[in-house]
């Protein structure tokens, strides 16, 4: 039920949805003032959601509380990596990496530095039931130099809450204050909420974010790619609502 509810809420995460609704209503209404109002609001929404500067401000406010210093990370037995950073290309029999690949890169760096002993990968594309665990583990060992004996795979999770829940059931020892969660900064708030729901209080490190970006006059030029970034952020806001309703 929770998974279905979160999926339904996610459908409302696109700024384009609201812009198109307003434009559609403006096209079919007979009232001139309402039509002008709908077109005006749609224009304002477009200019706002295609603006990189406004997006940067909102993203920074949302993730800044979870940004920590990589060099200050201590020693942990487990690094827990919620899935979503790889996929499996069946045609080429290869692991593909997405925008969140920093989760794995940073976790491997912690592993190489001796700060974590084992990587727990949960619900990820390349190592889930529809992926290929052997190909994924082979690449980790051959390319990244990670001993496959130090990698624990949880292949069933479909969302953030299941990432934490299923991993704790698979590796109960993670509750012993010896775990650090490595996840994208934009998802960290929801990740830690799931942890608290399960009475689990790990350390954490947020990845995939750059808050030092300099904004110029070009940031004010409408950019359709920013709309995609907004969709991810809005998905998180809506996801938080769904989690709070259930928790």
């Amino acid at each position: 039920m929770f998974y279905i509810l979160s999926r339904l809420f996610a459908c409302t995460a696109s700024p384009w949805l609201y812009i198109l609704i307003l434009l559609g209503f403006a096209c079919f209404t007979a009232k001139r003032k309402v039509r002008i109002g709908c077109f005006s609001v749609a224009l304002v929404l477009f200019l706002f959601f295609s603006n990189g500067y406004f997006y940067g401000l909102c993203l920074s406010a949302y993730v800044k509380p979870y940004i920590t210093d990589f060099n200050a990370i201590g020693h942990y037995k487990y690094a827990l990596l919620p899935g979503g950073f790889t996929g499996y290309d069946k045609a080429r029999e290869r692991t593909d990496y997405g925008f969140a690949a920093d989760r794995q890169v940073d976790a491997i760096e912690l592993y190489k530095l001796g700060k974590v002993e084992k990587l727990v990968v949960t619900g990820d594309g390349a190592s889930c039931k529809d992926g290929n665990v052997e190909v994924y583990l082979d690449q980790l060992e051959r390319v990244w130099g990670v001993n496959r004996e130090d990698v624990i795979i949880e292949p069933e999770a479909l969302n953030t809450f299941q990432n934490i829940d299923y991993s704790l059931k698979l590796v109960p020892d993670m509750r012993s204050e010896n775990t650090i969660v490595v996840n994208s900064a934009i998802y960290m708030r929801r990740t830690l909420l799931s942890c608290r729901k399960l009475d689990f209080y790990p350390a954490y490190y947020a990845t995939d974010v750059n808050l030092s970006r300099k904004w110029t006059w070009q940031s004010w030029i409408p950019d359709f790619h920013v709309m995609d970034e907004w969709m991810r952020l809005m998905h998180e806001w809506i996801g938080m609502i769904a989690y709070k309703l259930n928790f």
Side-chain angles (χ1 to χ4, degrees):
M1 178 62 186
F2 173 68
Y3 178 73
I4 295 174
L5 181 61
S6 63
R7 292 293 93 190
L8 290 175
F9 270 111
C11 295
T12 64
S14 173
W16 285 114
L17 174 64
Y18 306 103
I19 293 172
L20 292 175
I21 287 175
L22 286 166
L23 291 177
F25 191 76
C27 291
F28 290 102
T29 183
K31 297 181 179 180
R32 183 172 181 274
K33 288 185 178 180
V34 175
R35 184 165 59 252
I36 293 175
C38 288
F39 276 127
S40 299
V41 175
L43 178 60
V44 170
L45 289 179
F46 171 75
L47 292 176
F48 179 81
F49 285 115
S50 63
N51 186 290
Y53 178 75
F54 291 139
Y55 170 74
L57 288 179
C58 292
L59 176 66
S60 178
Y62 189 73
V63 306
K64 202 166 186 178
Y66 304 97
I67 304 303
T68 56
D69 182 6
F70 183 88
N71 295 320
I73 296 174
H75 178 269
Y76 298 92
K77 184 173 182 179
Y78 303 102
L80 176 59
L81 286 72
F85 51 90
T86 72
Y88 179 63
D89 185 338
K90 293 182 179 180
R92 298 185 300 154
E93 297 184 342
R94 289 182 57 84
T95 298
D96 287 334
Y97 289 88
F99 86 97
D102 277 1
R103 295 181 210 172
Q104 178 172 295
V105 173
D106 289 348
I108 289 176
E109 185 173 357
L110 291 174
Y111 173 83
K112 291 281 193 175
L113 291 172
K115 292 191 173 187
V116 299
E117 300 174 24
K118 294 184 179 295
L119 306 182
V120 181
V121 180
T122 166
D124 192 48
S127 56
C128 71
K129 293 184 295 183
D130 294 329
N132 190 316
V133 175
E134 282 304 312
V135 170
Y136 177 68
L137 290 175
D138 177 69
Q139 187 184 66
L140 279 181
E141 193 166 45
R142 178 171 44 83
V143 178
W144 298 93
V146 177
N147 187 336
R148 66 171 56 210
E149 299 299 322
D150 293 331
V151 183
I152 300 171
I153 302 294
E154 186 292 301
E156 303 289 340
L158 297 175
N159 57 38
T160 303
F161 181 78
Q162 291 180 0
N163 286 149
I164 308 302
D165 187 25
Y166 293 2
S167 296
L168 288 174
K169 291 174 180 176
L170 180 66
V171 191
D173 184 47
M174 288 198 302
R175 288 189 178 275
S176 304
E177 298 184 359
N178 56 5
T179 302
I180 183 169
V181 174
V182 182
N183 202 0
S184 301
I186 197 171
Y187 304 132
M188 190 58 76
R189 185 186 298 258
R190 189 156 49 94
T191 301
L192 296 179
L193 179 63
S194 299
C195 291
R196 289 196 296 271
K197 174 64 176 178
L198 294 163
D199 197 28
F200 176 49
Y201 301 93
Y204 58 87
Y205 179 72
T207 68
D208 306 304
V209 67
N210 182 2
L211 300 182
S212 63
R213 184 185 304 174
K214 293 184 178 180
W215 302 102
T216 65
W217 63 270
Q218 295 174 323
S219 304
W220 294 90
I221 299 175
D223 184 349
F224 286 96
H225 295 292
V226 176
M227 304 282 273
D228 295 332
E229 300 298 324
W230 267 111
M231 184 173 178
R232 188 174 294 119
L233 182 56
M234 290 176 65
H235 179 275
E236 279 307 294
W237 291 346
I238 294 169
M240 285 299 297
I241 294 173
Y243 271 56
K244 287 183 181 296
L245 287 175
N246 280 272
F247 293 170

